[in-house]
Amino acid sequence: MPAHATTDEPAGTTNQPARRLRADEPPEATGNPAYDVLTLGRVGVDLYPEQSGVPLGDVTTFAKFLGGTAGNVAVAAARLGLRAAVLTGVGDDPFGAYIRTALRRFGVDDALVATVPGLQTPVVFCELFPPDDFPIYFYRRPVAPDQCLTPDGLDRAAVRAARALWITGSALAVEPTRSTVFAALEERERLGGEVWFDLDWRPGFWADPGEAPALYARALSYATLAVGNAEEAEVAVGSRDPETAAGLLLRRGVRTAVVKRGPQGVLARTGDALHTVPPVPVKVVNGLGAGDAFGGALCAGLLAGDPLPEVLRAANAAGALVASRLACADAMPTRVEIDALLRERDPVRGPEHEQRRGPEREPAHGPKRDPARSQEREPGRDPEQETAHAAEHEEKHSPEHKPTRDPEREPGRDPRRGPEISPRSRS
């Protein structure tokens, strides 16, 4: 595999957000090459239908956008004033060139984007059945360039210098990118820096989805924050219940656990507080980019030092704005747009939306909460079964210590198979 693109070692980090890059600026133009946010994961080209409510075969026209969760989060962060870069790969083809140009147009540094000869830049199609059904079709066979990142090509200086490293669960699916993720995590651990883990579950990317829980557990042992929806949380810790899952994520070592609940808003838990924030209602056009907009706004708020409930409100609004638009990266909102939506549709907040834990509550790494006390129980799930399932999952997949990097390469997927299909949208 070709070595990943590298740059000279960045200078030290800064506590203030760096100036955004213009599309025509070289990376060193700001005089401060350390990134606020460095995302690691996939990019691609989104070809989304301009007709809604019809199957893909009946669509007559498509619109082309920048896509891929790591790229989307980087763009969302850059739109909110952060200096962002994405560590990923593209093919040596016109779509690869398009992705580089689009990233820079949105203020995201493309210096860490590798070009992988012989592979094609991924293309993604979707169907639009609002408000909550957006089947997505990934064309990444036999392997995608972002799955070919190597530890030897990792720009470790950039990884160490970034104020926050954002990793994605889908990047753990295939070697050698899997080992590259853990190499980046080991670099971050040396400095004790922020590591934010987007649980990002795409089962079609995995040759053996049963490997995912143990690998998620290993990645969580490095992370300071984890964020995902209920399905993704279940893969990581064995529970779909938001409060139970958040508590189990804390037990795995993160300081902040965020569980997105779609139309029910978001729940976040720290060692001493539980926050529930309602959604911002909008007319949904395409829900596929909402979670990435949420992630970018989460990065901006946390790095600014804003109170967590306010960060969650802004992130909810960012996700809502993108859900009301067709595109993902191209639709990421500005701070002005987020503030305007919150002023227009600010929900009434009361004590039920922010619950502070006193000293009598369990510490972040203490015993699990009694699931019967959970205020966010999913209808139809037996509390005793939920607890038993989560406990069994934790015992099976939680490492007693951080394991060494797995040197074995995961077997490749059969290139004769068709595109990977996800039957539901990611919130």
Side-chain angles (χ1 to χ4, degrees), residues 19-27 29 101 103-108:
R19 179 169 64 82
R20 280 182 54 189
L21 220 63
R22 296 196 312 270
D24 58 348
E25 284 185 297
T101 301
L103 287 170
R104 294 186 68 82
R105 178 165 55 90
F106 290 127
V108 176

Side-chain angles (χ1 to χ4, degrees), residues 26-44:
E28 63 274 13
T30 63
N32 175 22
Y35 302 114
D36 292 315
V37 177
L38 175 58
T39 66
L40 198 169
R42 70 180 185 274
V43 293

Side-chain angles (χ1 to χ4, degrees), residues 48-70:
Y48 284 178
E50 294 184 311
Q51 292 79 46
S52 182
V54 298
L56 191 60
D58 294 336
V59 174
T60 57
T61 57
F62 298 84
K64 174 172 66 69
F65 306 109
L66 174 65
T69 183

Side-chain angles (χ1 to χ4, degrees), residues 327-349:
C328 293
D330 298 60
M332 295 301 170
T334 64
R335 174 65 63 185
V336 171
E337 292 175 306
I338 292 172
D339 290 343
L341 181 61
L342 287 173
R343 285 194 301 269
E344 176 186 350
R345 303 187 182 182
D346 187 14
V348 177
R349 289 179 294 158

Side-chain angles (χ1 to χ4, degrees), residues 77-416:
R79 280 281 178 91
L80 297 175
L82 299 184
R83 181 179 171 87
V86 57
L87 204 162
T88 188
V90 296
D92 187 12
D93 56 20
F95 276 158
Y98 161 73
I99 285 177
R100 289 183 178 277
T101 301
L103 287 170
R104 294 186 68 82
R105 178 165 55 90
F106 290 127
V108 176
D109 195 351
D110 70 332
L112 303 181
V113 178
T115 297
V116 184
L119 295 181
Q120 294 179 320
T121 301
V123 174
V124 180
F125 292 87
C126 77
E127 294 173 319
L128 305 176
F129 297 101
D132 59 1
D133 186 19
F134 306 97
I136 188 166
Y137 303 82
F138 294 93
Y139 287 76
R140 298 167 58 86
R141 307 294 187 191
V143 65
D146 57 75
Q147 296 175 322
C148 298
L149 307 180
T150 63
D152 289 343
L154 180 66
D155 190 333
R156 296 168 188 265
V159 169
R160 291 193 301 269
R163 296 176 67 198
L165 174 68
W166 180 279
I167 65 169
T168 54
S170 60
L172 299 174
V174 176
E175 291 286 11
T177 293
R178 176 191 299 167
S179 290
T180 304
V181 173
F182 286 113
L185 293 175
E186 289 163 7
E187 290 295 325
R188 293 295 292 181
E189 188 178 37
R190 296 178 185 179
L191 300 178
E194 293 292 329
V195 174
W196 298 338
F197 184 11
D198 179 355
L199 301 178
D200 180 35
W201 175 236
R202 292 296 184 188
F205 288 15
W206 296 75
D208 180 6
E211 294 181 340
L215 290 163
Y216 273 50
R218 181 180 168 193
L220 282 168
S221 71
Y222 294 92
T224 55
L225 175 145
V227 55
N229 59 31
E231 181 183 13
E232 292 164 338
E234 185 173 33
V235 173
V237 295
S239 175
R240 295 179 65 92
D241 175 72
E243 187 174 348
T244 301
L248 291 170
L249 287 167
L250 292 180
R251 289 167 64 95
R252 293 290 172 88
V254 304
R255 296 196 300 266
T256 305
V258 180
V259 182
K260 295 174 288 186
R261 304 184 297 159
Q264 294 179 305
V266 62
L267 177 145
R269 187 170 172 181
T270 64
D272 61 359
L274 175 69
H275 308 281
T276 59
V277 177
V280 179
V282 294
K283 182 179 179 180
V284 175
V285 173
N286 179 7
L288 291 177
D292 297 331
F294 184 100
L298 190 68
C299 292
L302 292 174
L303 289 178
D306 294 338
L308 184 55
E310 298 306 310
V311 174
L312 298 174
R313 290 179 63 239
N316 266 352
L321 283 165
V322 172
S324 70
R325 302 166 178 174
L326 175 61
C328 293
D330 298 60
M332 295 301 170
T334 64
R335 174 65 63 185
V336 171
E337 292 175 306
I338 292 172
D339 290 343
L341 181 61
L342 287 173
R343 285 194 301 269
E344 176 186 350
R345 303 187 182 182
D346 187 14
V348 177
R349 289 179 294 158
E352 69 277 14
H353 297 311
E354 182 175 340
Q355 303 164 18
R356 292 284 180 184
R357 297 193 187 281
E360 73 280 7
R361 300 293 185 95
E362 73 274 11
H365 302 284
K368 289 182 288 186
R369 289 176 54 81
D370 180 356
R373 295 167 57 194
S374 171
Q375 298 181 359
E376 309 298 338
R377 182 67 50 205
E378 181 179 345
R381 292 185 72 91
D382 187 306
E384 293 184 0
Q385 290 182 350
E386 181 80 25
T387 305
H389 177 59
E392 180 182 0
H393 184 284
E394 184 171 19
E395 180 180 358
K396 181 177 180 181
H397 299 293
S398 179
E400 295 181 356
H401 61 278
K402 294 174 185 174
T404 57
R405 192 162 64 234
D406 183 3
E408 296 184 2
R409 177 166 178 166
E410 181 178 10
R413 300 180 66 86
D414 186 347
R416 294 172 296 179

